[in-house]
């Protein structure tokens, strides 16, 4: 069975400071990992993905994520937070084989304080 | 603009009523899926389809039906609405069952069952 854990419901960070949104996953095989962002009253937007290769993945809006196989983690990071980064962030996982069904975490609300 | 279109955006139903949530995509995506989003529970997969004429159940299929007669459309039917089906519903699509592109999401349908 596949699952994703986002241990923090809420993350607050001051504008200009680095931010981290945590994600751990569980799959029986090798994972494909994704981060999505949701702004109020909108659908989810793709941020970045890990498929294979370099463990550090760069995505949209200056976000990056680091795949750590031994810790089964895929934390989202940004060196300098913006107020406009305030949103709901979802981590998702799927196995490399089988149907293309993504399993999502419960989401982390990021608030960047001016 | 290309993308996933969901209608309606808002709907209020009485318990026991039926309705269909519409989802259409114009990107020639083979894979389509329906999720519901509830506070504290993230997104949960209801039904999915890997191509026209093929559908399958996700995590929470009870009370919902789907069909996929064309590549473009993937409607979700609520047979007899219950208050527990009050939620925000998202349709998503991607190229195929084996791609790594992630999903394109619609903007959602907010459903209230009274």
């Amino acid at each position: 069975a596949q699952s994703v854990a986002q241990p923090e419901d809420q993350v607050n960070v001051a504008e200009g400071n680095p931010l981290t949104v945590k994600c751990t996953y569980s799959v029986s095989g090798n994972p494909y990992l994704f981060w999505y962002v949701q702004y109020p009253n909108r659908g989810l937007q793709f941020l970045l993905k890990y498929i294979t290769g370099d463990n550090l993945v760069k995505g949209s809006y200056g976000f990056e994520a680091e795949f750590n196989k031994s810790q089964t983690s895929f934390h989202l990071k940004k060196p300098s937070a913006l107020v406009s980064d305030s949103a709901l962030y979802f981590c998702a996982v799927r196995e490399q084989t089988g149907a293309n069904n993504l399993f999502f975490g419960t989401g982390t609300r990021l608030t960047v304080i001016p | 603009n290309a993308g996933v279109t969901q209608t309606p955006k808002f709907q209020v139903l009485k318990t026991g009523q039926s309705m269909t949530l519409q989802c259409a995509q114009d990107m020639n995506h083979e894979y389509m899926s329906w999720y519901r989003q509830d506070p504290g529970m993230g997104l949960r997969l209801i039904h999915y389809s890997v191509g026209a004429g093929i559908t399958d159940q996700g995590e929470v299929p009870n009370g919902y039906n789907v069909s996929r007669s064309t590549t473009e459309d993937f409607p979700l039917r609520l047979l007899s609405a219950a208050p527990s089906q009050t939620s925000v519903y998202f349709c998503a699509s991607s190229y195929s069952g084996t791609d790594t592109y992630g999903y394109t999401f619609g903007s959602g349908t907010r459903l209230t069952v009274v």
Side-chain angles (χ1 to χ4, degrees):
Chain A
Q2 304 160 69
S3 65
V4 175
Q6 293 182 242
E8 300 158 317
D9 293 335
Q10 175 82 41
V11 170
N12 297 326
V13 64
E15 186 177 23
N17 282 3
L19 70 87
T20 298
V21 182
K22 295 180 180 178
C23 171
T24 58
Y25 66 90
S26 174
V27 295
S28 56
N30 291 320
Y32 292 149
L33 294 155
F34 301 82
W35 276 101
Y36 286 83
V37 59
Q38 184 181 33
Y39 298 100
N41 301 313
R42 303 286 295 276
L44 278 70
Q45 298 177 30
F46 171 79
L47 269 183
L48 52 80
K49 65 183 179 184
Y50 170 81
I51 303 302
T52 187
D54 195 347
N55 289 342
L56 184 63
V57 177
K58 295 186 183 297
S60 307
Y61 313 120
F63 284 93
E64 58 189 28
E66 185 166 12
F67 171 62
N68 187 317
K69 188 172 184 178
S70 63
Q71 298 185 1
T72 62
S73 66
F74 190 56
H75 301 330
L76 181 70
K77 300 180 180 182
K78 188 173 182 181
S80 179
L82 300 173
V83 173
S84 57
D85 293 330
S86 298
L88 187 57
Y89 290 81
F90 289 96
C91 182
V93 67
R94 60 162 285 205
E95 292 181 349
Q96 291 188 7
T97 57
N100 187 17
N101 295 333
L102 283 183
F103 288 84
F104 287 83
T106 53
T108 298
R109 185 164 300 281
L110 173 69
T111 300
V112 181
I113 303 164
Chain B
N1 291 336
V4 178
T5 302
Q6 288 185 239
T7 55
K9 292 189 182 302
F10 301 94
Q11 183 71 49
V12 178
L13 287 179
K14 293 182 179 179
T15 297
Q17 286 185 317
S18 62
M19 79 159 294
T20 299
L21 280 63
Q22 301 292 344
C23 175
Q25 52 89 11
D26 57 2
M27 298 171 285
N28 203 32
H29 284 174
E30 292 290 333
Y31 178 91
M32 297 184 74
S33 56
W34 277 101
Y35 286 85
R36 59 178 289 173
Q37 183 181 20
D38 301 294
M41 304 189 73
L43 278 78
R44 293 181 291 169
L45 181 65
I46 304 172
H47 285 284
Y48 67 97
S49 169
V50 299
I54 306 169
T55 63
D56 207 344
Q57 297 180 350
E59 299 173 78
V60 289
N62 292 341
Y64 307 95
N65 273 359
V66 292
S67 60
R68 184 94 180 271
S69 56
T70 67
T71 299
E72 294 78 17
D73 299 300
F74 191 45
L76 178 72
R77 280 181 285 275
L78 279 70
L79 309 173
S80 177
S84 61
Q85 293 178 304
T86 293
S87 187
V88 181
Y89 292 84
F90 288 101
C91 180
S93 71
S94 70
Y95 281 105
S96 75
T98 58
D99 71 74
T100 61
Y101 292 92
Y103 291 179
T104 300
F105 280 86
S107 57
T109 295
R110 186 173 295 273
L111 175 68
T112 302
V113 182
V114 298

